[in-house]
Amino acid sequence: MSGFDAGWVAYSNQSRPGADDEVPYLEKHAAQAKFHEFLRTFQTDTEGQQSSEVYKYSDALIKDKSRLRVDLQDVKLFDPDLGACLQRSPAEYLPLLEAAALERIQRTDRQDGDNQAPSDLQVFLHSSAQFGPSSMRELMSSHVSQLVMIPGIVTHAATRKHKATYITLECKTCHTIKTVTCKPGVGGAMIPRMCDAATLGGEGNTCGQDPFIILPSRSKYVDQQQLKLQERPEAVPTGELPQSMTLIVDRHLVGKISPGTRVTAIGIYSIYQTKDAKSKDGKGGIAIKQPYLRVVGLEQDIEGDAHNSPTFTMEEEAEFKAFAAQPNLHERIFAKVAPNIFGHADIKKAVACLLFGGARKRMPDGTARRGDINVLLMGDPSTAKSQFLKFAAKTAPISVYTSGKGSSAAGLTATVVKDSSGEFFLEGGAMVLADNGVVCIDEFDKMRPEDRVAIHEAMEQQTISIAKAGITTMLKSRTSVLAAANPPSGRYDDMKTAQENIDLQTTILSRFDLIFIVKDERSMDRDKQIARHVLNVHKNAGAALEVDEEEKKEEEFLKRYLEYCRVKCSPRLTQRAAANLASDYVEIREEVRQRAAGGEGEMPAVPITVRQLEAIVRISESLARMQLQVDVTEAHVQQAMDLFKASTMDAVRAGATEGLVFTEDQKAEMHHVQVQIKRRVSIGGFVSESKLVHELVRVGLNDSLIRRALLYLVTCGEFEYRKERRLIHRLQ
């Protein structure tokens, strides 16, 4: 008998009554009868509670005869043992539920005189309450073959395939027809090695070994697709990599989910044998299986949460409405934003507006207008820019934190990957995974220019178009971007123009709604206040558990209130507010035009375009959403305009050439320095800035005057900076 099972292992997963007294068991005919009774008699009211108002599943089968969504909690409510059996052994009891639903349709059609009953019906399971493991990390071997409910993000979707449910075989010699059933999921079929038809008459088998051929035209197939589910970024423990799992969907679930979609999958936790499971010597490894999830229900999340969540209790809604009705609500919310950071009141307002966001709009022609707000923090180091990013990543329900130096265009948007079978599939990047959330990009200035260009479409149109390796598709990227950057020289230099300090292209700057210049102001009084605040934070850190608990409650309340406002409130501009906003926008454009005309045609570093008008609209809507108001009033527009002027307009006005007045002696000295610079750099030539400054200082010229003269020559268009201001190029 040795070696009788060397090639494969045959097993049976039949449930045996009495094997485990704690687990209920129902015979198949009894279970199918109970399922039929459940579908026929289960009633709910209009709010989903059990009552005698609506026949929930009987009416659903009349409306759609090809699919049926069944709540597992309804089955448990109807019969706890039946629900426990379905959760414990779904591979055995789910086909019985589908058979009962098909029988119910056939009986109804016979009563109505309709003989065109469907031959197949798919039952989708969902649950209004979490059951079993709540994440991939909690899945154990004890959950194999059971029903589980796992949330996550779909990071890639393979192409559609066709899986045989049964195959038809024909013997090449005696032409006997045989039908073999295929296992569901990734399981295949066991084709017999010998033909048994010739032995029925008592004669020997003359058909030989492996006589069967497959008849594809007489076999039955269903659509099947493989998905990859990854843990949600906010659920991954700090310092660990996100785990992923293979999903197998079939029939009506195929092609419904694109990469980047947040879903909650209900399926049968299954295992399969990989090709390389055996070791080199052919022994061992056969007992090592790879897990996957055979999906029987898929719930797509809306606004970061599933159809049945977030659920807000009546007490929570009453608390939120009472909070929104309080006076000075905006100040209360701004005070909850990064309370450990001293000062920066305008930046806290901007971060709050970014978290709440404006209202998305769908135009009559099918196009969309984004409601998400993008904010850029540019300035000196050690000004708490990264701390604001950390707070936003922690507070937002959906968030992804990344660094500019460690991020590529493919990592931020999407990439095409080739799997082991040679097929190409899409994997979503950070901006796809953070759909309906916030992307925090630190060290934004350290990104390569070609990588920054890749997120242009994602920041404005909120889509990511892919045309690679024969894959042409469009992914959703409805995210807010909070970015932090430093000037090219590391610190903001008041002796340089705004274009030189903000060393970013105008195409990317115009996509930011608010741009803040953050300076490390040197003031004794301010330094004392900051030092006192920082020392108090360090001294009180972890001193009292009650204080920590109170802070956690405040953070949790802000997150829930933010979630409630985004789901329940979608404000719009009133007529008077729109008129005020239009006049303010025209005044801003005129101011910028006059400054450009007065500055010898020099354009501002931050362009003021129609995008900035839409930015003020979004900020106004976010301020109204904080108060749960559906109308954006003139007060909201004025507050948004003040914030815009304190941020973006302040960046427009920044620059060293503003207001400089030279005396006759200074003009003469400046001219002398310019002559010395031009003598050392030929037209069209390149020279290192540090080398040029060092050479001029050696001949007795002032360092500050040299840099000011260089700045003036660059402003006049005679010179230009190259290679992040390391080289100087003479143009004329």
Side-chain angles (χ1 to χ4, degrees):
M1 293 297 291
S2 63
F4 79 99
D5 61 345
W8 51 279
V9 173
Y11 66 93
S12 173
N13 60 353
Q14 297 178 359
S15 300
R16 296 192 300 266
D20 190 347
D21 295 336
E22 297 181 359
V23 180
Y25 178 81
L26 294 174
E27 296 291 343
K28 289 188 176 181
H29 65 278
Q32 185 168 340
K34 285 193 174 185
F35 279 133
H36 188 275
E37 187 69 14
F38 164 73
L39 297 174
R40 186 180 69 87
T41 62
F42 189 80
Q43 295 173 291
T44 60
D45 59 15
T46 55
E47 296 182 356
Q49 302 297 324
Q50 190 174 18
S51 72
S52 59
E53 293 185 18
V54 179
Y55 288 93
K56 184 176 180 179
Y57 299 109
S58 183
D59 294 346
L61 287 172
I62 295 175
K63 295 178 182 178
D64 191 346
K65 298 180 181 180
S66 62
R67 66 195 76 185
L68 177 67
R69 293 180 71 249
V70 176
D71 191 341
L72 183 62
Q73 304 304 319
D74 290 345
V75 180
K76 293 181 177 180
L77 189 63
F78 176 79
D79 190 327
D81 290 345
L82 187 64
C85 289
L86 182 59
Q87 181 178 342
R88 185 76 177 180
S89 305
E92 180 180 358
Y93 288 93
L94 187 59
L96 301 179
L97 177 57
E98 292 186 347
L102 202 58
E103 181 185 354
R104 178 63 189 158
I105 293 176
Q106 292 171 352
R107 288 188 182 183
T108 305
D109 290 344
R110 282 197 299 267
Q111 294 175 359
D112 298 339
D114 186 4
N115 296 323
Q116 297 181 352
S119 59
D120 187 27
L121 178 142
Q122 185 175 11
V123 172
F124 305 135
L125 292 181
H126 70 103
S127 178
S128 54
Q130 178 69 40
F131 64 89
S134 59
S135 68
M136 298 180 194
R137 297 176 185 270
E138 299 178 8
L139 290 173
M140 303 296 176
S141 58
S142 58
H143 297 118
V144 173
S145 300
Q146 295 185 15
L147 206 62
V148 295
M149 182 175 179
I150 304 297
I153 302 177
V154 176
T155 55
H156 92 257
T159 55
R160 181 188 306 231
K161 297 181 180 179
H162 308 297
K163 167 71 183 295
T165 55
Y166 67 83
I167 57 176
T168 302
L169 308 175
E170 182 182 7
C171 180
K172 293 181 291 186
T173 304
C174 63
H175 302 288
T176 301
I177 302 298
K178 185 179 183 68
T179 301
V180 178
T181 304
C182 299
K183 295 179 181 179
V186 297
M190 188 67 67
I191 299 178
R193 303 292 304 274
M194 305 293 292
C195 177
D196 52 356
T199 61
L200 295 178
E203 302 176 359
N205 191 342
T206 60
C207 296
Q209 193 173 6
D210 296 328
F212 288 107
I213 59 173
I214 300 175
L215 302 179
S217 60
R218 299 178 63 176
S219 304
K220 185 178 180 181
Y221 300 89
V222 294
D223 292 334
Q224 189 179 84
Q225 187 181 24
Q226 179 176 322
L227 307 176
K228 185 178 180 182
L229 189 72
Q230 183 176 295
E231 280 185 298
R232 297 179 177 180
E234 60 270 17
V236 179
T238 305
E240 297 189 21
L241 293 175
Q243 295 186 0
S244 59
M245 173 184 290
T246 300
L247 304 185
I248 300 295
V249 297
D250 57 11
R251 294 186 279 179
H252 295 292
L253 291 174
V254 173
K256 301 299 183 183
I257 302 298
S258 60
T261 307
R262 290 177 172 247
V263 299
T264 300
I266 296 181
I268 305 171
Y269 190 50
S270 309
I271 54 176
Y272 72 99
Q273 184 99 27
T274 57
K275 295 180 180 179
D276 55 348
K278 291 187 178 182
S279 58
K280 293 182 180 180
D281 57 359
K283 299 179 180 179
I286 197 170
I288 305 299
K289 310 287 185 178
Q290 290 293 328
Y292 74 98
L293 195 68
R294 183 156 68 90
V295 178
V296 297
L298 209 57
E299 290 292 316
Q300 184 174 347
D301 295 6
I302 296 178
E303 288 290 342
D305 293 276
H307 290 293
N308 297 310
S309 59
T311 55
F312 301 100
T313 62
M314 297 297 292
E315 293 78 9
E316 281 185 316
E317 292 195 12
E319 184 182 6
F320 292 152
K321 291 177 181 178
F323 178 74
Q326 292 180 357
N328 300 324
L329 174 68
H330 288 143
E331 284 71 18
R332 292 174 180 268
I333 293 178
F334 299 154
K336 295 178 184 292
V337 175
N340 291 331
I341 299 176
F342 178 81
H344 298 302
D346 290 332
I347 298 180
K348 292 183 178 181
K349 293 179 183 179
V351 172
C353 292
L354 177 139
L355 292 173
F356 281 87
R360 295 194 184 105
K361 306 170 186 69
R362 177 69 61 178
M363 299 296 138
D365 60 351
T367 59
R369 292 290 183 270
R370 69 177 171 101
D372 300 286
I373 298 172
N374 302 324
V375 178
L376 173 65
L377 308 180
M378 167 74 74
D380 296 338
S382 186
T383 50
K385 299 189 300 296
S386 298
Q387 293 300 318
F388 279 114
L389 269 63
K390 289 290 186 182
F391 173 82
K394 181 180 65 173
T395 305
I398 303 170
S399 63
V400 173
Y401 187 97
T402 182
S403 177
K405 193 64 176 177
S407 301
S408 63
L412 286 173
T413 55
T415 183
V416 177
V417 181
K418 190 175 183 180
D419 62 6
S420 57
S421 62
E423 293 186 358
F424 291 97
F425 59 86
L426 281 176
E427 276 199 358
M431 302 198 74
V432 177
L433 300 182
D435 188 32
N436 286 315
V438 178
V439 174
C440 300
I441 307 177
D442 205 355
E443 307 295 344
F444 191 67
D445 58 302
K446 308 301 187 299
M447 290 178 63
R448 295 181 299 175
E450 55 268 26
D451 295 336
R452 280 199 295 265
V453 170
I455 66 174
H456 282 189
E457 180 191 3
M459 290 182 66
E460 188 62 35
Q461 281 74 36
Q462 297 200 313
T463 56
I464 293 174
S465 301
I466 297 294
K468 299 177 182 178
I471 299 176
T472 304
T473 186
M474 186 176 292
L475 305 178
K476 294 180 181 179
S477 177
R478 298 161 295 182
T479 63
S480 297
V481 176
L482 179 59
N486 298 111
S489 60
R491 299 184 67 88
Y492 196 89
D493 192 349
D494 292 326
M495 291 303 301
K496 299 175 184 176
T497 61
Q499 290 94 328
E500 293 162 331
N501 280 311
I502 307 175
D503 191 23
L504 297 174
Q505 293 181 343
T506 56
T507 52
I508 194 74
L509 290 176
S510 66
R511 285 167 166 79
F512 284 103
D513 301 314
L514 296 173
I515 300 175
F516 286 90
I517 302 298
V518 190
K519 299 180 183 179
D520 185 9
E521 299 178 0
R522 293 166 178 81
S523 169
M524 182 175 293
D525 294 337
R526 180 177 173 80
D527 291 344
K528 288 181 179 179
Q529 292 175 341
I530 293 177
R532 191 179 301 113
H533 178 81
V534 172
L535 293 175
N536 285 335
V537 169
H538 282 273
K539 183 175 64 176
N540 298 327
L545 294 177
E546 295 80 4
V547 177
D548 291 343
E549 291 296 327
E550 189 65 27
E551 289 182 358
K552 290 181 181 179
K553 288 182 180 179
E554 289 287 334
E555 292 175 2
E556 188 63 29
F557 176 81
L558 179 61
K559 185 179 291 189
R560 291 288 289 173
Y561 182 70
L562 189 154
E563 220 170 357
Y564 180 80
C565 291
R566 290 179 68 99
V567 172
K568 300 293 184 180
C569 186
S570 181
R572 291 292 185 271
L573 276 173
T574 60
Q575 191 66 31
R576 293 185 61 182
N580 291 353
L581 182 55
S583 61
D584 290 341
Y585 171 72
V586 172
E587 290 179 3
I588 290 176
R589 288 274 294 182
E590 181 64 20
E591 178 188 345
V592 174
R593 188 190 66 80
Q594 292 178 358
R595 293 175 65 85
E600 299 180 0
E602 182 185 354
M603 296 303 294
V606 182
I608 302 299
T609 62
V610 179
R611 285 178 176 167
Q612 277 59 48
L613 175 62
E614 293 183 336
I616 302 172
V617 172
R618 287 187 285 268
I619 298 166
S620 304
E621 291 171 348
S622 68
L623 293 170
R625 177 176 273 179
M626 293 179 195
Q627 296 177 318
L628 290 177
Q629 294 185 8
V630 295
D631 294 329
V632 179
T633 63
E634 300 93 307
H636 296 139
V637 170
Q638 185 59 47
Q639 195 171 356
M641 184 61 66
D642 293 341
L643 185 58
F644 182 78
K645 289 180 179 178
S647 57
T648 306
M649 287 306 298
D650 185 54
V652 171
R653 299 188 187 102
T657 59
E658 299 293 333
L660 285 182
V661 179
F662 297 106
T663 63
E664 292 298 328
D665 294 339
Q666 287 175 332
K667 288 181 180 179
E669 193 174 0
M670 180 74 71
H671 179 71
H672 174 67
V673 175
Q674 293 175 17
V675 171
Q676 295 296 324
I677 292 174
K678 291 179 180 179
R679 283 182 178 177
R680 286 165 172 78
V681 185
S682 61
I683 297 177
F686 292 85
V687 67
S688 169
E689 184 197 31
S690 59
K691 182 179 179 181
L692 177 63
V693 172
H694 180 69
E695 185 177 343
L696 292 174
V697 169
R698 288 179 59 187
V699 298
L701 297 180
N702 182 270
D703 180 271
S704 176
L705 197 60
I706 297 170
R707 297 186 183 278
R708 186 175 295 184
L710 279 173
L711 182 58
Y712 181 78
L713 291 172
V714 171
T715 304
C716 294
E718 298 185 34
F719 285 73
E720 69 173 355
Y721 284 111
R722 293 285 187 90
K723 298 291 184 68
E724 297 181 351
R725 296 175 57 87
R726 291 195 299 269
L727 292 179
I728 297 175
H729 178 213
R730 184 175 178 182
L731 302 174
Q732 59 187 16

